[in-house]
Amino acid sequence: DVKVTQSSRYLVKRTGEKVFLECVQDMDHENMFWYRQDPGLGLRLIYFSYDVKMKEKGDIPEGYSVSREKKERFSLILESASTNQTSMYLCASRGQGDRFFGPGTRLTVL
Amino acid sequence: AQTVTQSQPEMSVQEAETVTLSCTYDTSENNYYLFWYKQPPSRQMILVIRQEAYKQQNATENRFSVNFQKAAKSFSLKISDSQLGDTAMYFCAFMSHNYGQNFVFGPGTRLSVLP
């Protein structure tokens, strides 16, 4: 089974802090994704990566950056967290077939 | 740009009954994929069922089946013999055939299965 893991299930940070969310997949997938999930809005794509060191902006990249130094790891960075970034963050990976999702990180910014 | 609409924010169904979740989408493409994902409370999102637009036959996975109406751009999910474990958020999603990164989710339907 594909495993996609995320570093934290719950995270509480303060406004202005730098936040790192990490995602690891164990199936050698080329494509990895970061989504934000908010009630009534479904999942919105923040960034995706189709190879090591490659990244593309999704629909809502503002306020976020990403890093993919190794194939199995895709990090989402909030340079200066703000309260409107309080949300559920989902990582996903995909090879040639379906997307597989991580368990999500519920981030609260106070 | 593609859009996916789920018009039922919340639904409930009695255990063992059948329920249908609605999904409509908008696209100008002819080849694409449609998905239903399930996200149980505090648990991982998993794929329930997949439909390829060029296949006329509706996809089925055990108690889950879809009614795919390509001309109407409708993709509903039917859950038969509902079980308590079916309680979850259900997301309909669209993926372009040519651009695999273009994956659009609907807003979700929260389904509660009542004992």
Side-chain angles (χ1 to χ4, degrees):
Chain A
D1 279 354
V2 175
K3 263 220 175 106
V4 181
T5 57
Q6 295 182 227
S7 49
S8 306
R9 289 302 301 271
Y10 299 94
L11 208 52
V12 179
K13 294 292 182 180
R14 296 211 173 270
T15 301
E17 279 193 81
K18 190 168 186 175
V19 182
F20 291 89
L21 303 183
E22 298 220 311
C23 175
V24 178
Q25 50 95 4
D26 65 358
M27 283 303 291
D28 202 36
H29 284 170
E30 294 83 11
N31 303 297
M32 295 187 75
F33 309 84
W34 274 107
Y35 292 92
R36 173 175 169 157
Q37 181 181 359
D38 298 290
L41 296 177
L43 277 71
R44 293 178 293 167
L45 182 64
I46 304 172
Y47 267 97
F48 67 94
S49 169
Y50 51 90
D51 204 348
V52 175
K53 296 191 186 294
M54 306 303 284
K55 60 186 179 185
E56 292 284 343
K57 292 180 179 179
D59 299 320
I60 51 164
E62 296 78 19
Y64 304 94
S65 62
V66 291
S67 172
R68 190 149 181 219
E69 296 297 319
K70 293 185 178 181
K71 193 174 186 179
E72 67 270 19
R73 189 180 298 268
F74 191 35
S75 301
L76 180 69
I77 303 156
L78 288 66
E79 293 290 340
S80 177
S82 63
T83 55
N84 62 13
Q85 292 178 310
T86 291
S87 187
M88 170 71 87
Y89 290 88
L90 292 177
C91 174
S93 75
R94 174 176 177 260
Q96 296 302 315
D98 297 320
R99 275 165 174 73
F100 292 88
F101 286 86
T105 296
R106 186 166 294 283
L107 172 67
T108 301
V109 183
L110 302 175
Chain B
Q2 289 82 8
T3 58
V4 177
T5 302
Q6 294 176 249
S7 58
Q8 306 146 317
E10 294 189 24
M11 294 188 73
S12 62
V13 63
Q14 292 294 138
E15 198 174 5
E17 298 289 308
T18 294
V19 65
T20 298
L21 309 184
S22 301
C23 173
T24 57
Y25 59 94
D26 188 24
T27 184
S28 58
E29 298 179 21
N30 195 43
N31 292 324
Y32 48 87
Y33 299 88
L34 295 163
F35 305 84
W36 278 99
Y37 281 88
K38 170 185 177 182
Q39 186 181 40
S42 301
R43 292 183 62 188
Q44 213 139 340
M45 188 173 307
I46 57 172
L47 178 65
V48 175
I49 201 164
R50 178 200 314 109
Q51 176 80 41
E52 294 162 72
Y54 65 88
K55 289 187 177 178
Q56 292 188 342
Q57 186 172 5
N58 288 326
T60 298
E61 287 287 343
N62 301 315
R63 297 182 296 107
F64 298 87
S65 62
V66 298
N67 183 5
F68 174 47
Q69 301 288 330
K70 191 173 183 180
K73 295 180 182 173
S74 169
F75 182 62
S76 60
L77 175 70
K78 185 172 85 170
I79 306 174
S80 304
D81 185 26
S82 296
Q83 301 175 359
L84 296 178
D86 295 334
T87 291
M89 280 290 289
Y90 286 82
F91 293 96
C92 179
F94 169 101
M95 185 176 82
S96 174
H97 177 74
N98 293 324
Y99 303 101
Q101 318 304 356
N102 185 10
F103 201 93
V104 181
F105 287 87
T109 295
R110 184 176 301 279
L111 176 68
S112 298
V113 180
L114 308 173

